[in-house]
Amino acid sequence: MVERPENDSGSERVNNGYTAEDIKVLKGLEGVRKRPAMYIGDTDQRGLHHLVFEVVDNSIDEAMGGYCDRIEVSINANNSVTVKDYGRGIPVDIHPEEGISALEVVMTVLHAGGKFDRHTYKVSGGLHGVGVSVVNALSEWCEVKVGQSGKLYRQSYVRGAPQGDVSEEGKTDFQGTETTFIPDSEIFEEIEWKFTTITQRLREMAFLNSGLEIIAEDKRVDKERREVYKFDGGLVEFVEYLDENRGALIPKPISISGERDNVSVEIALIWNDSYQENIYSYVNNINTIEGGTHLVGFRAALTRTLNNYAVKNNIFKNEKFSLSGDDCREGMTAVISVMVPEPQFEGQTKTKLGNSEVKGIVETLFGEALSMTFEETPSIARKILEKAVQAARARDAARKARDLTRRKGALESGDLPGKLADCSIKDPELCELYLVEGDSAGGSAKQGRDRSFQAILPLRGKILNVEKARLDKILGNEEIRTMISAVGTGFISDDGEENGGLDLSKLRYGKIIIMTDADVDGAHIRTLLLTFFYRYMRDLIQQGHIYIAQPPLYRVSKGRQEFYAYDDEGKDRYIDRLGGSKGVKLQRYKGLGEMNPDQLWKTTMDPERRTVLRVAIEDAAEADRLFTVLMGDKVEPRREFIENNAEFVKNLDV
């Protein structure tokens, strides 16, 4: 028998002072302001821009319903943002249950909106009903104008609270909704809009909604820009845009669309002469970066259709093998967009579709249409299969190379490379691996590091450009094999065609820091390393494990005073601080090897004083295009990119 402790009265259980007074009830939008990260992910740059996308998503839903053909987004001179759509306009009449205007309900009540009614929106991206009310809650002020039936209505809010009732402002020809807001500085530490971050998302939405015109404008002083996106070709134009810097294997993209059981499917795909696959999947305009059942169905249909056609037409001849999914997808760029009335996403991030029925729908529709395309255009089928067969042979060669290197111990995490100076702590969350350019800098880093948690791996010269090589050749590069061994996770396409061989549970270092010279060669080596990580260890970037060290460019000293500057502005500032250039010693570091171990530790490796940049992928499609431009075979797109962006460059490879 378990005895229950009693208080002095002997009649009640002890609760350690935990009473009803400890239960906090946050009314209205207070909960959003108290825990903003629960609703927008974080309060840094990503969360800040998420506010814009939440408002835009409502306008996109109007377009998906066929009620809107134009959306305008502008960053205003006062740092506010305006999103204007020409849809139906948020209703302004009195809500029957709440007794206030429906506009006020939408802007101030969580889980309120038209997305929960199948009659209002057949499909919708904003399914949680918290979007625009969360934006309102996290804004210093917000103003909404609605044009309906020739009349203009308006309501303003301060930190989510309405400032009076909805008012009728007069007559107007405008039909739709215009929302203007400025994020709250009490919530966001820095309010600095990135126009390119916003336009990347808007361009993507324009591709996914053919015929929809989206206008983006930056009205800030000295930052004025204007972009107009409208793609009548939809996904076909999207694929062509993604592949414009690669050599096409077939004349034009294959386009497939259909509908079954109220689920509509649209797919565009093309093959190029590269060795990577690039698949982007969407559900109701949401980028499902983790895939899901629609992607599984697509892959299954593609592999089966290609193998069936090859067998039927004796493409393999006397070779007894079948194509794997990796073989079929080598050099393929595809965009998959499905519209599902009631999507079930795994997790709160809405990045993986879970509806089991969608797999069969996509697999059937795509498989039948692709088979018909191959029968009608056998020349296209043969070109695709020729590349897939070459990929299969290279895969076999890569397997043999991998087996050979494993027998030698080069890829086994338990047999670490000899030039790795490992750390003593074994907890990955506490450990760092520095990838250092050159043996000289590697020597200084080994002497200057904290041996308990910092490991050093010197890299000799420039690694192979993986953008231009198949896996068998990549595994023949000693520096790449050494890195794979040191990191410990394996790499994509290592084992198994669907899951790849990347296992983050085997990651030996929580931070992998690229430390190269602050010159052109150092930048090139940095880009080569980032290309390798993006193509073959992408999860390391997506999970925030890849960093870039920031070594100083100058040492400014006078007497016993010394400062380290990371740019010319910093150098000039320190010279002024020391009373001008007279008597000041200025040292320009041409490479890491010029710093002694103590200097390298103080400036670049000491966690208390260093600056490191975490590498992030804000937009996978744009990142893929950028790596292709910078590291691919075509020179002209690279030259054009450099000419157009040279004046904006700070950290080109980040």
Side-chain angles (χ1 to χ4, degrees), residues 239 250 253-254 256 267-271 298 302 332-334 366:
V239 167
I250 58 178
I254 298 171
I256 290 166
I267 298 171
L269 67 162
I270 195 170
W271 276 261
F298 168 81
L302 177 70
M332 182 192 72
T333 298
F366 176 57

Side-chain angles (χ1 to χ4, degrees), residues 630-647:
L630 295 177
M631 308 305 291
D633 288 317
K634 292 189 176 181
V635 176
E636 190 56 40
R638 183 156 49 249
R639 181 186 295 115
E640 183 179 342
F641 177 87
I642 293 171
E643 290 173 351
N644 292 339
N645 294 277
E647 61 180 301

Side-chain angles (χ1 to χ4, degrees), residues 417-562:
K419 61 181 181 178
L420 171 69
D422 208 359
C423 53
S424 57
I425 295 175
K426 300 305 178 185
D427 184 351
E429 292 187 9
L430 304 177
C431 297
E432 303 175 347
L433 173 65
Y434 275 83
L435 302 176
V436 185
E437 173 190 352
D439 290 333
S440 175
S444 293
K446 288 177 183 179
Q447 295 178 55
R449 66 179 173 139
D450 185 324
R451 295 168 182 263
S452 64
F453 70 95
Q454 291 179 323
I456 308 297
L457 180 63
L459 298 175
R460 187 176 300 168
K462 297 179 180 179
I463 71 165
L464 181 71
N465 180 2
V466 301
E467 193 74 16
K468 300 179 180 180
R470 275 198 173 102
L471 190 58
D472 54 333
K473 186 176 180 181
I474 292 169
L475 289 177
N477 183 271
E478 181 181 352
E479 302 302 302
I480 289 178
R481 292 203 313 270
T482 300
M483 276 196 301
I484 293 171
S485 176
V487 172
T489 60
F491 54 96
I492 297 173
S493 294
D494 185 48
D495 296 299
E497 64 168 275
E498 296 299 334
N499 298 321
L502 196 68
D503 185 355
L504 290 183
S505 68
K506 296 180 180 178
L507 180 63
R508 303 184 68 248
Y509 308 94
K511 285 188 174 71
I512 299 170
I513 303 172
I514 300 171
M515 187 163 69
T516 60
D517 293 344
D519 58 14
V520 173
D521 281 341
H524 189 208
I525 293 171
R526 200 157 55 235
T527 306
L528 288 167
L529 289 168
L530 287 173
T531 304
F532 170 72
F533 284 122
Y534 180 78
R535 292 300 185 197
Y536 290 96
M537 292 183 170
R538 190 176 303 183
D539 284 355
L540 291 180
I541 300 179
Q542 291 177 330
Q543 298 300 319
H545 294 293
I546 305 295
Y547 293 78
I548 295 175
Q550 297 294 287
L553 285 176
Y554 301 98
R555 177 177 177 267
V556 185
S557 63
K558 185 176 184 180
R560 294 186 177 181
Q561 290 182 289
E562 69 171 8

Side-chain angles (χ1 to χ4, degrees), residues 608-649:
E608 297 296 323
R609 289 179 281 188
R610 73 187 180 191
T611 298
V612 292
L613 303 178
R614 187 170 69 181
V615 180
I617 303 175
E618 293 181 348
D619 184 282
E622 279 303 301
D624 178 76
R625 289 186 72 254
L626 184 56
F627 276 115
T628 302
V629 169
L630 295 177
M631 308 305 291
D633 288 317
K634 292 189 176 181
V635 176
E636 190 56 40
R638 183 156 49 249
R639 181 186 295 115
E640 183 179 342
F641 177 87
I642 293 171
E643 290 173 351
N644 292 339
N645 294 277
E647 61 180 301
F648 306 114
V649 170

